[in-house]
Amino acid sequence: MTRDPVAKLLLFGATGDLSQRMLLPSLYGLHADGLLPDGLTITGTARHEHDDAGFRDFAKHALDQFLPDDRKDETAIEGFLARLHYQPLDASNVDGFAALAEKLGDISGGLAIFLSTAPWLFGPTITGLKSAGLAGPKVRISLEKPLGKDLKSSQEINDLVAAAFPEERTYRIDHYLGKETVQNILALRFGNAMFEPVWNARGIDNVQITIAETVGLEGRAGYYDEVGALRDMVQNHVLQLVALIAMEPPARFDGTSIRDEKVKVLRSLRMIGPEEVNTHTVTGQYDAGAVKGEIVRGYDEELGKESDTETFVAVKAHVDNWRWQGVPFYLRTGKRMTDRHSEISIQFKPVPHSIFADRGGQLQPNTLVIRLQPEEYVRLLVMAKEPGLDRDGVRLREVPLDLSLTTAFAGTRRRIAYERLLLDLIEGDPTLFVRRDEVEAQWTWVDAIRDGWKANGTKPKGYASGSWGPNASVALTERDGVTWNE
């Protein structure tokens, strides 16, 4: 693709937690590896009253705290800090944007804006950028979630943004799309001849997607209690994984082709209405328990008040098209669970006839496991014969064929997802960003589930911290003869 790098990067929320943990270390990593354009300046803005020197000190402290030791290079750090500038700004006050524009100076070489602010600040921020001349044809903007809490509010935010930035200059971030293993889904599917012939309802029995966390609220109480697990995780990360697994082969690897195929999947999701929510969804909220040997409090106690917000959700979903007709997609995500991991498990259909049955050989369907975190690997479980003379029958066993990405690419540094996304923003590659029609298709499906919960008075079921969620989530799959991959 043709790259169109900008000369300036503007970070809103530059003194926040995301900036310290992810953005500044990611930008430093790109600088240290010589991947940032020569002369690119990075200007941070937030309410804090820093000057340039104060922000550089702040950034230096963040790098000291969050960079791995093997990545710390004093010369590279000094060079990176020299790129940094700062302008204090109250984004709710349009008048302050003139000073921000003056600080940025000439933007004729292109400006990329990373917007990570509270949702209620989107309107004033876009208005301020436009009034200060920071929304012209050479300016692109990236938006960090949350982008609304339902379809209506999402449309309102996107309309606000679209008034200043057309779709081709709007980059919506889902950081899961920057993960190396997520991108490897495309390489696995479309770079290997063996999978595509069976990647459909004739070859696949079911698909499972799990994003399990061991943490609780972790300082996000105010935000999380307003949204819950369905909107926080399923609406974006989980459904993006569904789209990548279920999409048709795109004509080429570019932003238009990839996103065209993803949105077709999202629009093909079967709606789950009030009649189906009790049989196709499970909600839960963690109680007190033990996680990794540590006693933890229940959600209400941690929050400090009673709440009906779900911290766990499991969904049986279907993609209604020719390729996936009749194949269930089991989706689940939760907090305070047994283990922290994100993975996709694809169970293939059994062989049509076992030649080993009369000799005592027991077959299991093949399973492909794509682990996204904390380890990164692709594992294909296949049947093999145990060594022996087989006088008492044939003994078959499931064995893994492993591709550990960490081992296979041991000489290549694993990058933070934001490194790729920030570089793509700077260079103008929209492939791994989410288009508006994708977001709206996701919200349409999620809103229907929430409306169904409301119509049925659905309340989350309690589950012990350190477990795999409510017992009802086990029944969700086992009534179909399927067991969650754990």
Side-chain angles (χ1 to χ4, degrees), residues 27-35 71 76:
L27 289 166
Y28 163 78
L30 295 172
H31 167 85
D33 292 338
L35 296 172
R71 289 294 290 164

Side-chain angles (χ1 to χ4, degrees), residues 362 382-387 395-399:
Q362 299 294 314
V382 300
M383 298 307 298
K385 189 185 87 65
E386 290 188 7
R395 297 184 184 276
L396 302 176
R397 190 168 54 139
E398 198 173 50
V399 297

